[in-house]
Amino acid sequence: MPQTPSSVMRTYARQPVSFTRGDGARLWDDEGKEYLDGIAGIAVTSLGHCHPEVARVVAEQAGTLMHTSNVFRIAWQEQLGERLCAVANMEKAFFCNSGAEANEAALKIARLHGHGKGVSLPQIMVMDNAFHGRTLATLSATDNPSKKVGFDPLMPGFVRVPYDDIAAVKEAARHTPGIVAVLIEPVQGEGGIRMASANYLKALRAICDEQGWLLMLDEIQCGMGRTGAWFAHQHAGIVPDVMTVAKALGNGFPIGACLARGVAADLFSPGLHGTTFGGNPLACHVGYTVLEVMAREKMPQRAAALGQRLLAGLQEALSAHPNVVAIRGAGLMLGIEMNCPCADLVGRALHEQRLLITVTRDTIIRLLPAMVCTEAQIDDIVARIARLLFSRPPEQSAAASIPI
Ligand SMILES: *Cc1c(COP(=O)(O)O)cnc(C)c1O
């Protein structure tokens, strides 16, 4: 199979493998070969491929009603909003179709908040190594030169500070006029599985309260149970003003949401924001079902337990490896940091070990397995990673990592 399909724009360095069927954490390619999925479509299919209840709801709702338009009330949208806000401690939801769109809504809410306070050029604080999406505004909020080069002029209105560094936030508060909000991932995924400490998040919450800034959390990758709590910030015992979710919310069906509480929940009024497809009955019934299954099966707790097993297994199996610098993460969001570029491991894992992994920031192997994995499958991921890393060292080329 050729590496570059001729009919599709070259937005991804694609592996020459195409899957035709999936079941839980297993995938089969078009030659019938079976693979173990260690990334779940990059934190999307957390309930596994083709979860029977999700698949049934997709089919049933498609045969009942798919789309009407947001100029009418949509019962499934309201029910999903209620259910999602209940697990997230939020008040209102705006539904859209992707993570970037959810962040766009958050950025617009921040700007409205600023203008409401009489700030004519509002600034939003963002972090080193952040990833917030590929639209022009979210790309501007992102901090990854390889994703930004060629797209100037980017959007103004962002102030960047080091991640997990409260002194830097205080410094910016003193010296940068017009800050109205902070946008931050509690766990940076694309940025290399970096975690903000609980103390930092608490202090950030306090500064936002003091300054009248909105605390806006991007939980698109780390939310929906993945780190062992419904949302990663809940480990720190804080509540944000705005939170964005997407990826696992539809288990593969496209849906995103921007959630808000307090003043932030009431800033949009008719005409200020909108979407044609967002919040349609099909996507929302699917999202509702995903939440229901996750709650019933206690998926956040399961992610915590499986995550501990995966982390302990990797630590034991890789402790003697000369290229492994650190293994870190929360729940089923884990990174293995290498002391050399290792993007070639993605293709080698696929072909030599029949295992799906990603490499981010050139040196960090990222694992995001489905929460429905069995313990045996978690152990199998550890065994395949160990075989991969011990069979021969990485090629040290910064080539084709799979970007989000
Ligand atoms: C994936 C991701 C996004 C972008 O989501 P899309 O659905 O690809 O637009 C934004 N923020 C974070 C933290 C992500 O992981």
Side-chain angles (χ1 to χ4, degrees), residues 166 169 182 184 199-209 215:
I166 207 70
V169 175
V182 181
I184 178 171
N199 282 342
Y200 169 83
L201 289 175
K202 284 189 190 126
L204 189 60
R205 175 70 272 181
I207 292 175
C208 287
D209 289 340
L215 178 58

Side-chain angles (χ1 to χ4, degrees), residues 98-100 103 131-133 185 218 220-221 247 404:
S98 67
N103 282 338
F131 181 81
H132 296 299
E185 301 152 86
D218 179 341
I220 289 165
Q221 188 163 151
K247 291 201 163 87
I404 287 187

Side-chain angles (χ1 to χ4, degrees), residues 263-279:
V263 288
D266 285 315
L267 287 166
F268 282 146
S269 54
L272 289 183
H273 199 49
T275 164
T276 297
F277 294 130

Side-chain angles (χ1 to χ4, degrees), residues 12 42-44 97-103 130-135 138 142 184-185 187-190 218-222 244 246-247 255-256 333 366 404:
Y12 285 79
I42 313 195
V44 169
N97 313 287
S98 67
E101 277 177 82
N103 282 338
F131 181 81
H132 296 299
R134 312 298 203 127
T135 61
T138 58
T142 290
I184 178 171
E185 301 152 86
V187 183
Q188 292 184 328
E190 181 69 6
D218 179 341
E219 292 240 13
I220 289 165
Q221 188 163 151
C222 60
T244 53
K247 291 201 163 87
I255 181 169
M333 187 170 183
R366 182 172 40 160
I404 287 187

